[in-house]
Amino acid sequence: MENIKTPGRYARILLDYWFKRSFGTEGRQRLLTLFLQELIPERKIVSLKYAPQEHVNPLPDDKGIRVDVECTDEDGTRFVVEMQLAYQTNFHERALFNSTFAIQEQMASGSTSYDFPAVYFIGILDFSFHKGSDTVLYRYELERRSLELMTDRVQYIFLELTNCHHALTPEASVLDNFCYVLHNMENLPDRPAGLEGDLFRLLFESAEIATFTPQEKIKYEYDMTTERDIKNQIASAKEIGIEEGMEKGIAVGRNSERARIIEALRSQGVSEEIIARAVIAAQKDE
């Protein structure tokens, strides 16, 4: 019988519901403000409010967890942030597509002559597009090849958690340490020494399982069991793909292995969301 890992002191907040519980619920504004200030230091946020309802993506297989907020900085300028926990394939293209919803909603809420507030799309990635890099923060704008800026109204910020190689060292930035914590929270017995200040204090408080309600504890145990099942399905599908390739005497290349993983998972009736995670898991192993 498989040994079931006993939950530690802190929850894995990269699971969908728990990510939103930490950053996207009333009472968490201070934590979210401090986090956004690290990501967008040029904006001095003085207030934020959560959107009354999230936008609905018309694509049935693209249901990610989002935190939508409207921020005001110290000079009264309003801007919009959409923060998304991400594990999709074709991620950059989906980020571009999803950012258009925030723009359209600003137009619908009263902006005229396309004079809508700036939109920041923030993706939290528990994988890396830049393998071997020690840079955790990547920012993109729309511009020509000659580096002439097209517009500053839409910006994309991606935080690659697994690039936090300097974490807990003297040269680590706040974001290096923050990425390390997000990536490893459920395995930490205590808050590591040196991680002081409200940002880390509030983050660890949000993840402490002892503060969960009885209903939340039950849900967390269920979610962790589901996460383990997903990992087992991914591992099984990868084994199936490799075994089929060996039986046929075919050298298993990366692209063909991914195709077999996807085919095996779909044949088992696995959702597109889980399939996306499987593809990301395969990329991590390359």
Side-chain angles (χ1 to χ4, degrees), residues 178-198:
F178 196 86
C179 288
Y180 172 82
V181 169
L182 285 183
H183 185 60
N184 297 285
M185 178 69 83
E186 71 273 21
N187 298 315
L188 299 177
D190 297 289
R191 188 192 336 170
L195 300 189
E196 307 298 336
D198 282 352

Side-chain angles (χ1 to χ4, degrees), residues 74-286:
E74 60 184 358
D75 64 3
T77 301
R78 185 168 61 95
F79 61 99
V80 177
V81 171
E82 177 177 316
M83 187 165 68
Q84 186 173 105
L85 182 63
Y87 39 71
Q88 302 109 331
T89 55
N90 301 321
F91 175 69
H92 288 124
E93 291 74 16
R94 293 188 185 216
L96 177 63
F97 177 72
N98 287 332
S99 68
T100 65
F101 291 103
I103 295 171
Q104 293 176 53
E105 286 167 5
Q106 296 312 304
M107 297 294 294
S109 64
S111 297
T112 59
S113 302
Y114 297 96
D115 186 24
F116 54 84
V119 171
Y120 292 85
F121 182 94
I122 297 172
I124 312 297
L125 287 62
D126 197 26
F127 60 94
S128 177
F129 280 113
H130 304 86
K131 295 186 184 300
S133 172
D134 57 5
T135 299
V136 297
L137 182 66
Y138 288 86
R139 295 186 62 162
Y140 299 87
E141 295 177 313
L142 301 177
E143 60 187 20
R144 305 179 57 225
R145 291 189 179 184
S146 62
L147 302 185
E148 176 187 357
L149 186 66
M150 174 182 170
T151 177
D152 62 354
R153 297 297 179 92
V154 185
Q155 297 193 36
Y156 301 88
I157 300 175
F158 302 130
L159 200 61
E160 300 188 4
L161 303 186
T162 56
N163 293 353
C164 57
H165 306 300
H166 293 307
L168 307 184
T169 67
E171 63 267 25
S173 68
V174 171
L175 284 178
D176 285 328
N177 290 333
F178 196 86
C179 288
Y180 172 82
V181 169
L182 285 183
H183 185 60
N184 297 285
M185 178 69 83
E186 71 273 21
N187 298 315
L188 299 177
D190 297 289
R191 188 192 336 170
L195 300 189
E196 307 298 336
D198 282 352
L199 176 63
F200 290 105
R201 177 181 63 80
L202 292 171
L203 179 63
F204 275 87
E205 285 179 0
S206 77
E208 190 154 12
I209 295 175
T211 67
F212 292 0
T213 66
Q215 293 79 10
E216 285 177 329
K217 289 178 180 178
I218 292 172
K219 176 171 175 51
Y220 182 67
E221 291 178 4
Y222 172 81
D223 288 349
M224 286 300 293
T225 299
T226 301
E227 184 78 357
R228 284 191 293 268
D229 290 344
I230 289 172
K231 290 180 179 179
N232 288 336
Q233 287 179 322
I234 291 171
S236 296
K238 290 174 70 174
E239 289 178 4
I240 291 171
I242 293 172
E243 288 174 1
E244 287 180 353
M246 293 177 65
E247 288 173 1
K248 295 177 182 177
I250 300 174
V252 180
R254 290 177 177 175
N255 290 334
S256 59
E257 182 181 349
R258 283 184 201 148
R260 278 193 291 275
I261 292 172
I262 292 171
E263 182 179 354
L265 288 174
R266 281 180 176 152
S267 69
Q268 298 173 33
V270 177
S271 71
E272 292 298 319
E273 176 181 321
I274 295 176
I275 291 174
R277 294 192 191 192
V279 174
I280 296 302
Q283 291 174 337
K284 286 182 180 180
D285 293 339
E286 291 174 359

